[in-house]
Amino acid sequence: VENLFYNMIARRKTLQKSADDYAKIVDLLSRFAIHHKNVSFSCKKHGAARTDIHSVAATSRLDSIRCVYGASVAKNLIEVEVSSSSNHSSGCNFHMEGFVSNSNYIAKKTTLVLYINDRLVECSAMKRAIEIVYAATLPKASKPFVYMSIELPRDHIDVNIHPTKKEVSLLNQEVIIEKIQSEIESKLRNSNDTRTFQEQKGELIQSTLTSMQSHLPASSLASGQKSQKT
Protein backbone atom coordinates (compact mmCIF):
# COMPACT_ATOMS: atom_id res chain seq x y z
CA VAL A 1 0.00 0.00 0.00
CA GLU A 2 3.03 2.28 -0.30
CA ASN A 3 1.64 4.15 -3.33
CA LEU A 4 -2.01 4.07 -2.37
CA PHE A 5 -3.96 6.78 -4.28
CA TYR A 6 -0.74 7.77 -6.12
CA ASN A 7 -2.77 9.26 -8.98
CA MET A 8 -5.54 10.82 -6.84
CA ILE A 9 -3.99 13.88 -5.19
CA ALA A 10 -7.23 15.05 -3.59
CA ARG A 11 -7.82 11.63 -2.04
CA ARG A 12 -4.25 11.43 -0.73
CA LYS A 13 -4.70 14.72 1.11
CA THR A 14 -7.56 13.27 3.15
CA LEU A 15 -5.30 10.57 4.60
CA GLN A 16 -4.31 11.23 8.19
CA LYS A 17 -0.84 11.14 9.67
CA SER A 18 0.90 7.77 9.67
CA ALA A 19 0.78 7.63 13.49
CA ASP A 20 -3.01 7.96 13.44
CA ASP A 21 -3.36 5.35 10.71
CA TYR A 22 -1.08 2.95 12.58
CA ALA A 23 -3.15 3.33 15.75
CA LYS A 24 -6.24 2.35 13.74
CA ILE A 25 -4.41 -0.70 12.35
CA VAL A 26 -3.43 -1.82 15.86
CA ASP A 27 -7.00 -1.35 17.09
CA LEU A 28 -8.40 -3.35 14.17
CA LEU A 29 -5.95 -6.24 14.60
CA SER A 30 -6.62 -6.29 18.35
CA ARG A 31 -10.30 -6.84 17.63
CA PHE A 32 -9.47 -9.60 15.15
CA ALA A 33 -7.13 -11.29 17.63
CA ILE A 34 -9.65 -11.69 20.45
CA HIS A 35 -12.37 -13.08 18.16
CA HIS A 36 -10.24 -15.44 16.10
CA LYS A 37 -8.67 -17.05 19.15
CA ASN A 38 -7.28 -19.99 17.16
CA VAL A 39 -5.03 -17.68 15.12
CA SER A 40 -1.83 -15.98 16.27
CA PHE A 41 -1.47 -12.29 15.41
CA SER A 42 1.62 -10.10 15.37
CA CYS A 43 1.92 -6.43 14.44
CA LYS A 44 5.06 -4.30 14.55
CA LYS A 45 5.71 -0.82 13.20
CA HIS A 46 8.40 -0.68 10.52
CA GLY A 47 11.76 -0.10 12.20
CA ALA A 48 10.47 -0.70 15.73
CA ALA A 49 12.20 -3.18 18.04
CA ARG A 50 9.11 -4.62 19.70
CA THR A 51 5.65 -5.66 18.58
CA ASP A 52 2.53 -3.73 19.55
CA ILE A 53 0.39 -6.85 19.21
CA HIS A 54 1.61 -10.35 19.84
CA SER A 55 -1.14 -12.84 20.51
CA VAL A 56 -0.82 -16.61 20.52
CA ALA A 57 -3.52 -19.12 19.67
CA ALA A 58 -5.49 -19.66 22.89
CA THR A 59 -8.02 -22.19 24.07
CA SER A 60 -10.33 -19.64 25.67
CA ARG A 61 -11.65 -16.23 24.70
CA LEU A 62 -10.65 -14.79 28.05
CA ASP A 63 -7.03 -15.81 27.46
CA SER A 64 -7.10 -14.01 24.11
CA ILE A 65 -8.45 -10.83 25.72
CA ARG A 66 -5.79 -11.07 28.44
CA CYS A 67 -3.05 -11.46 25.83
CA VAL A 68 -4.20 -8.48 23.74
CA TYR A 69 -5.78 -6.01 26.18
CA GLY A 70 -3.92 -6.98 29.35
CA ALA A 71 -4.62 -8.73 32.65
CA SER A 72 -6.19 -5.60 34.18
CA VAL A 73 -9.03 -5.81 31.64
CA ALA A 74 -9.42 -9.60 31.66
CA LYS A 75 -9.73 -9.89 35.45
CA ASN A 76 -12.69 -7.47 35.49
CA LEU A 77 -14.86 -9.20 32.90
CA ILE A 78 -18.13 -11.09 33.33
CA GLU A 79 -19.29 -13.76 30.91
CA VAL A 80 -22.72 -13.17 29.36
CA GLU A 81 -24.89 -15.35 27.15
CA VAL A 82 -28.46 -15.00 25.92
CA SER A 83 -30.51 -16.80 23.27
CA SER A 84 -33.94 -16.56 21.71
CA SER A 85 -35.48 -19.06 19.32
CA SER A 86 -37.87 -18.29 16.47
CA ASN A 87 -40.54 -20.18 18.41
CA HIS A 88 -40.57 -17.34 20.90
CA SER A 89 -43.46 -14.88 20.76
CA SER A 90 -41.09 -12.10 19.66
CA GLY A 91 -40.34 -13.98 16.45
CA CYS A 92 -36.59 -13.29 16.61
CA ASN A 93 -33.92 -15.95 16.45
CA PHE A 94 -30.42 -15.19 17.75
CA HIS A 95 -27.66 -16.33 20.08
CA MET A 96 -25.25 -13.97 21.83
CA GLU A 97 -22.20 -14.75 23.93
CA GLY A 98 -19.42 -12.54 25.15
CA PHE A 99 -17.83 -10.65 28.03
CA VAL A 100 -18.68 -7.33 29.69
CA SER A 101 -16.72 -5.33 32.23
CA ASN A 102 -17.82 -5.34 35.87
CA SER A 103 -18.11 -2.54 38.43
CA ASN A 104 -14.35 -2.55 39.17
CA TYR A 105 -13.39 -1.67 35.58
CA ILE A 106 -12.63 2.01 34.96
CA ALA A 107 -12.09 3.60 31.53
CA LYS A 108 -12.63 6.98 29.87
CA LYS A 109 -14.28 5.64 26.73
CA THR A 110 -16.41 2.68 25.68
CA THR A 111 -14.77 -0.25 23.91
CA LEU A 112 -17.29 -2.36 22.00
CA VAL A 113 -15.97 -5.28 19.96
CA LEU A 114 -19.04 -6.53 18.10
CA TYR A 115 -19.09 -9.52 15.76
CA ILE A 116 -22.23 -10.59 13.95
CA ASN A 117 -22.02 -13.89 12.07
CA ASP A 118 -18.22 -13.81 12.46
CA ARG A 119 -17.91 -10.37 10.88
CA LEU A 120 -16.59 -7.31 12.69
CA VAL A 121 -19.28 -4.61 12.54
CA GLU A 122 -20.69 -1.60 14.36
CA CYS A 123 -24.20 -1.02 15.62
CA SER A 124 -24.86 2.44 17.04
CA ALA A 125 -28.15 1.46 18.65
CA MET A 126 -26.49 -1.48 20.44
CA LYS A 127 -23.66 0.70 21.73
CA ARG A 128 -26.01 3.39 23.04
CA ALA A 129 -28.22 0.78 24.74
CA ILE A 130 -25.24 -0.79 26.55
CA GLU A 131 -23.95 2.63 27.68
CA ILE A 132 -27.41 3.44 29.07
CA VAL A 133 -27.34 0.25 31.16
CA TYR A 134 -23.94 1.10 32.62
CA ALA A 135 -24.89 4.73 33.32
CA ALA A 136 -28.03 3.61 35.15
CA THR A 137 -26.48 0.71 37.07
CA LEU A 138 -22.97 1.84 38.00
CA PRO A 139 -21.79 5.10 39.62
CA LYS A 140 -20.11 7.89 37.66
CA ALA A 141 -21.42 6.54 34.35
CA SER A 142 -18.61 4.01 33.96
CA LYS A 143 -17.54 3.36 30.36
CA PRO A 144 -17.60 -0.37 29.63
CA PHE A 145 -15.42 -2.86 27.78
CA VAL A 146 -17.67 -5.23 25.81
CA TYR A 147 -16.88 -8.17 23.54
CA MET A 148 -19.95 -9.63 21.91
CA SER A 149 -20.50 -12.29 19.24
CA ILE A 150 -24.01 -12.64 17.83
CA GLU A 151 -25.25 -15.39 15.53
CA LEU A 152 -28.51 -14.93 13.65
CA PRO A 153 -30.02 -15.85 10.24
CA ARG A 154 -28.30 -14.06 7.36
CA ASP A 155 -31.54 -12.59 6.06
CA HIS A 156 -32.06 -10.91 9.46
CA ILE A 157 -29.17 -8.49 9.01
CA ASP A 158 -28.99 -5.44 6.73
CA VAL A 159 -25.43 -4.45 5.74
CA ASN A 160 -26.44 -1.80 3.20
CA ILE A 161 -27.15 1.12 5.50
CA HIS A 162 -23.59 2.49 5.24
CA PRO A 163 -21.25 2.77 2.21
CA THR A 164 -18.42 0.94 4.01
CA LYS A 165 -20.74 -1.91 5.13
CA LYS A 166 -19.36 -1.34 8.62
CA GLU A 167 -22.61 -0.22 10.26
CA VAL A 168 -25.43 -2.77 10.31
CA SER A 169 -29.10 -2.96 11.22
CA LEU A 170 -30.93 -6.05 12.49
CA LEU A 171 -34.40 -7.45 12.02
CA ASN A 172 -36.27 -7.26 15.36
CA GLN A 173 -33.42 -5.03 16.54
CA GLU A 174 -35.37 -3.53 19.45
CA VAL A 175 -36.25 -6.97 20.83
CA ILE A 176 -32.68 -8.27 20.52
CA ILE A 177 -31.20 -5.17 22.17
CA GLU A 178 -33.77 -5.30 24.99
CA LYS A 179 -32.88 -8.93 25.78
CA ILE A 180 -29.16 -8.18 25.76
CA GLN A 181 -29.71 -5.08 27.91
CA SER A 182 -31.67 -7.10 30.45
CA GLU A 183 -28.99 -9.80 30.68
CA ILE A 184 -26.13 -7.29 31.09
CA GLU A 185 -28.05 -5.35 33.74
CA SER A 186 -28.68 -8.56 35.70
CA LYS A 187 -24.98 -9.48 35.58
CA LEU A 188 -23.91 -5.99 36.66
CA ARG A 189 -26.26 -5.89 39.64
CA ASN A 190 -24.93 -9.25 40.82
CA SER A 191 -21.33 -8.07 40.37
CA ASN A 192 -22.01 -5.03 42.56
CA ASP A 193 -22.26 -7.37 45.53
CA THR A 194 -18.60 -8.32 45.10
CA ARG A 195 -17.25 -4.87 44.31
CA THR A 196 -13.87 -4.09 45.92
CA PHE A 197 -12.58 -0.76 47.17
CA GLN A 198 -9.08 0.41 47.95
CA GLU A 199 -8.52 0.66 51.69
CA GLN A 200 -7.08 3.89 53.06
CA LYS A 201 -5.63 4.42 56.54
CA GLY A 202 -7.54 7.54 57.58
CA GLU A 203 -6.17 7.73 61.13
CA LEU A 204 -2.56 7.50 59.94
CA ILE A 205 -3.08 10.30 57.37
CA GLN A 206 -4.70 12.57 59.97
CA SER A 207 -1.91 12.07 62.51
CA THR A 208 0.72 12.79 59.85
CA LEU A 209 -0.96 16.06 58.84
CA THR A 210 -1.25 17.13 62.49
CA SER A 211 2.45 16.45 63.00
CA MET A 212 3.36 18.47 59.90
CA GLN A 213 1.29 21.44 61.11
CA SER A 214 3.01 21.45 64.51
CA HIS A 215 6.43 21.73 62.87
CA LEU A 216 5.57 24.72 60.66
CA PRO A 217 7.80 27.77 61.35
CA ALA A 218 6.22 30.47 63.47
CA SER A 219 6.87 33.09 60.79
CA SER A 220 4.44 31.38 58.48
CA LEU A 221 1.65 31.91 61.03
CA ALA A 222 2.40 35.56 61.71
CA SER A 223 -0.46 37.98 62.18
CA GLY A 224 -2.13 39.07 59.01
CA GLN A 225 -1.23 35.85 57.19
CA LYS A 226 -3.47 32.84 56.68
CA SER A 227 -2.31 29.46 57.94
CA GLN A 228 -1.06 27.10 55.27
CA LYS A 229 -3.72 24.77 53.91
CA THR A 230 -3.03 21.05 54.00
Side-chain angles (χ1 to χ4, degrees):
V1 295
E2 240 177 38
N3 297 317
L4 192 64
F5 306 121
Y6 73 95
N7 60 346
M8 299 174 66
I9 305 301
R11 183 66 182 84
R12 280 190 65 114
K13 288 181 179 178
T14 64
L15 292 175
Q16 299 183 12
K17 297 178 181 178
S18 59
D20 296 330
D21 290 332
Y22 182 70
K24 291 180 180 179
I25 293 170
V26 170
D27 178 62
L28 183 67
L29 289 181
S30 297
R31 294 166 185 262
F32 283 164
I34 65 173
H35 181 73
H36 302 284
K37 59 186 178 66
N38 297 325
V39 182
S40 299
F41 285 82
S42 182
C43 180
K44 181 174 68 173
K45 184 183 288 187
H46 178 67
R50 64 180 185 86
T51 58
D52 291 287
I53 298 175
H54 182 68
S55 71
V56 295
T59 55
S60 73
R61 186 84 58 204
L62 199 59
D63 287 339
S64 296
I65 295 175
R66 184 180 294 107
C67 186
V68 176
Y69 287 96
S72 59
V73 175
K75 72 179 181 180
N76 289 317
L77 296 182
I78 312 166
E79 189 171 5
V80 293
E81 186 173 1
V82 59
S83 297
S84 179
S85 64
S86 56
N87 297 328
H88 196 269
S89 58
S90 62
C92 64
N93 181 18
F94 79 98
H95 175 76
M96 183 278 287
E97 59 182 19
F99 290 91
V100 298
S101 55
N102 61 19
S103 52
N104 294 318
Y105 177 81
I106 299 175
K108 294 182 179 179
K109 65 176 183 177
T110 300
T111 301
L112 173 60
V113 182
L114 175 62
Y115 276 82
I116 297 181
N117 292 351
D118 279 334
R119 182 169 174 266
L120 181 64
V121 295
E122 294 179 3
C123 182
S124 302
M126 182 78 72
K127 185 176 181 180
R128 284 195 303 269
I130 293 173
E131 288 178 334
I132 288 172
V133 171
Y134 274 82
T137 310
L138 300 182
K140 297 183 180 180
S142 299
K143 300 296 183 182
F145 176 95
V146 178
Y147 162 78
M148 198 176 294
S149 177
I150 300 176
E151 296 289 336
L152 73 171
R154 291 193 175 190
D155 55 349
H156 287 192
I157 178 171
D158 184 2
V159 298
N160 293 314
I161 65 172
H162 194 276
T164 65
K165 314 291 193 222
K166 186 167 60 174
E167 181 84 14
V168 299
S169 181
L170 310 177
L171 185 67
N172 299 312
Q173 184 166 282
E174 294 81 6
V175 176
I176 293 174
I177 289 177
E178 184 180 350
K179 287 181 178 296
I180 292 174
Q181 266 188 318
S182 178
E183 180 66 19
I184 292 177
E185 182 180 6
S186 175
K187 293 286 186 180
L188 286 178
R189 293 194 182 280
N190 291 335
S191 75
N192 264 337
D193 297 337
T194 59
R195 192 175 188 193
T196 58
F197 295 90
Q198 185 178 358
E199 183 180 0
Q200 294 186 1
K201 301 295 184 181
E203 296 176 356
L204 178 61
I205 294 173
Q206 183 60 41
S207 63
T208 304
L209 292 177
T210 305
S211 176
M212 288 172 61
Q213 273 189 323
S214 65
H215 286 85
L216 286 174
S219 58
S220 65
L221 299 177
S223 60
Q225 293 183 354
K226 294 182 179 180
S227 61
Q228 182 178 350
K229 290 184 179 181
T230 55

